[in-house]
Amino acid sequence: LSGCDSGFGQATARHLDIMGFRVFASVLDLQSPGAQELRQSCSTRLTLLQMDLTKREDIQRVLQHIQAHTNSTGLWGLVNNAGFNDTIADAELSPLGKFRTCMEVNFFGSLELTKGLLPLLRSAGGRIVTVSSPAGDMPFPCLAAYGASKAALSLVMDTFRSELQPWGIKVSLILPGYYKTGTTCDPAFWNLQKQQLLASLPQELLQAYGEDYVEEINQQFIQFMKVAVEDLSAVVNSITEGLLAANPAVRYYPGQGLGIMYFIHRYLPYFVRDLFLKGFFINPKLPRALRREHHNDVKK
């Protein structure tokens, strides 16, 4: 189970431990408050492992540990939960490096871990459950870097689902609504990210969009996250069902409002979808270079 420092991973690790499972829970930092909490609240069946999904050597170390401890039994389930995003901005304003980091953690890291554990999963005819995002299915404004990595993740897991059927391995995707997890709801974190983004932007882009444009996006996102759900049990239950149900669903959608969102996405015209996502999530103001007052200033 990856990404157990906080949020879904931490709650799921605790839940599976209470149910009596032997859990291997990976965390970014063995001394983090989340890791300490798991140490205190869980039984000795739970093993904490340090793993940064962007580091090959970390993944290999975790694979070796799990192989050594499950060789005779095989591995019943893998939960790919670790995810990363630290950019809320238009695709044009998001540095290329941010796209790469999202792909490294959310896509390549999870892919490498999955491929490494597949021999053990095949011998047990086990399960793969992966936490993706509706942002990988729809063009949420200002989430291109994160959304693109989750789109890639969803697609590769869907491919695994089809290819691993003969081995008896069942693969499920979890596409949660908006929940309070980790740093996602910390305004100080997002304000710092905004400052770093503004400092890194080329002058031409800053002129075209305007600092107030980036400021407005950030404010809207912080407002949006205030209504995020604190109770993570719907997601934990979906992950658990993906691991244990005789016939798990291919996709789980824990969270409110996802039914209407997917209905609009599948059946209504593009302009309605775009309007809906802007109204629901972030609706940026007009970039500075397109505003009337800017044109008037230029004419003067």
Side-chain angles (χ1 to χ4, degrees):
L1 175 58
S2 67
C4 297
D5 298 81
S6 62
F8 305 142
Q10 191 194 31
T12 304
R14 199 182 298 115
H15 182 67
L16 293 172
D17 178 71
I18 289 166
M19 290 179 78
F21 289 97
R22 174 125 198 245
V23 180
F24 298 95
S26 86
V27 290
L28 252 182
D29 177 5
L30 287 168
Q31 301 312 316
S32 69
Q36 305 276 27
E37 205 177 303
L38 282 176
R39 249 188 225 105
Q40 284 154 14
S41 64
C42 292
S43 73
T44 51
R45 283 187 306 273
L46 182 125
T47 306
L48 279 174
L49 300 166
Q50 191 278 325
M51 179 174 67
D52 178 339
L53 278 174
T54 64
K55 293 185 175 150
R56 192 105 204 264
E57 58 275 21
D58 279 20
I59 296 174
Q60 290 307 317
R61 194 184 61 248
V62 165
L63 290 175
Q64 280 161 8
H65 181 96
I66 294 174
Q67 279 156 359
H69 289 83
T70 58
N71 243 339
S72 54
T73 56
L75 181 71
W76 175 253
L78 162 64
V79 181
N80 289 305
N81 164 69
F84 172 83
N85 181 40
D86 69 349
T87 309
I88 304 295
D90 292 48
E92 188 179 12
L93 299 177
S94 305
L96 210 55
K98 299 293 188 185
F99 281 84
R100 287 207 170 94
T101 308
C102 279
M103 286 303 279
E104 281 300 329
V105 179
N106 302 338
F107 178 72
F108 286 111
S110 297
L111 176 60
E112 189 172 346
L113 188 63
T114 304
K115 281 169 71 70
L117 291 173
L118 266 174
L120 291 167
L121 288 162
R122 281 193 286 103
S123 69
R127 304 287 168 87
I128 300 169
V129 178
T130 300
V131 180
S132 188
S133 169
D137 286 332
M138 305 173 209
F140 277 75
C142 306
L143 274 188
Y146 177 72
S149 67
K150 288 295 194 179
L153 179 67
S154 293
L155 189 110
V156 81
M157 288 300 157
D158 230 7
T159 309
F160 273 134
R161 180 186 54 74
S162 147
E163 292 173 351
L164 294 171
Q165 256 169 346
W167 296 95
I169 291 179
K170 293 185 163 71
V171 181
S172 299
L173 276 174
I174 315 282
L175 298 112
Y178 42 114
Y179 287 87
K180 282 188 163 69
T181 61
T183 51
T184 54
C185 297
D186 177 7
F189 172 80
W190 291 110
N191 279 317
L192 178 65
Q193 297 309 123
K194 176 198 69 189
Q195 296 303 344
Q196 290 176 348
L197 177 70
L198 286 169
S200 74
L201 281 180
Q203 203 50 41
E204 190 274 322
L205 274 183
L206 201 52
Q207 285 294 313
Y209 281 86
E211 196 168 320
D212 57 340
Y213 179 90
V214 178
E215 194 78 52
E216 169 77 6
I217 286 168
N218 196 59
Q219 283 313 313
Q220 283 193 35
F221 178 71
I222 288 169
Q223 276 302 116
F224 174 79
M225 287 321 291
K226 280 183 182 163
V227 295
V229 179
E230 283 188 51
D231 178 6
L232 308 182
S233 59
V235 180
V236 173
N237 292 341
S238 295
I239 293 172
T240 307
E241 193 178 312
L243 286 171
L244 301 179
N247 288 301
V250 170
R251 286 181 161 220
Y252 291 91
Y253 300 95
Q256 281 152 342
L258 292 179
I260 183 78
M261 192 188 293
Y262 273 91
F263 175 83
I264 288 168
H265 177 66
R266 285 193 183 122
Y267 300 110
L268 299 186
Y270 277 108
F271 78 93
V272 178
R273 301 186 201 178
D274 292 347
L275 278 175
F276 171 76
L277 285 175
K278 282 177 180 169
F280 170 74
F281 186 53
I282 290 175
N283 189 4
K285 60 199 279 180
L286 211 54
R288 184 170 171 268
L290 299 176
R291 285 176 226 154
R292 187 171 285 141
E293 68 266 26
H294 175 70
H295 287 297
N296 292 343
D297 288 348
V298 172
K299 277 178 194 160
K300 281 178 203 165

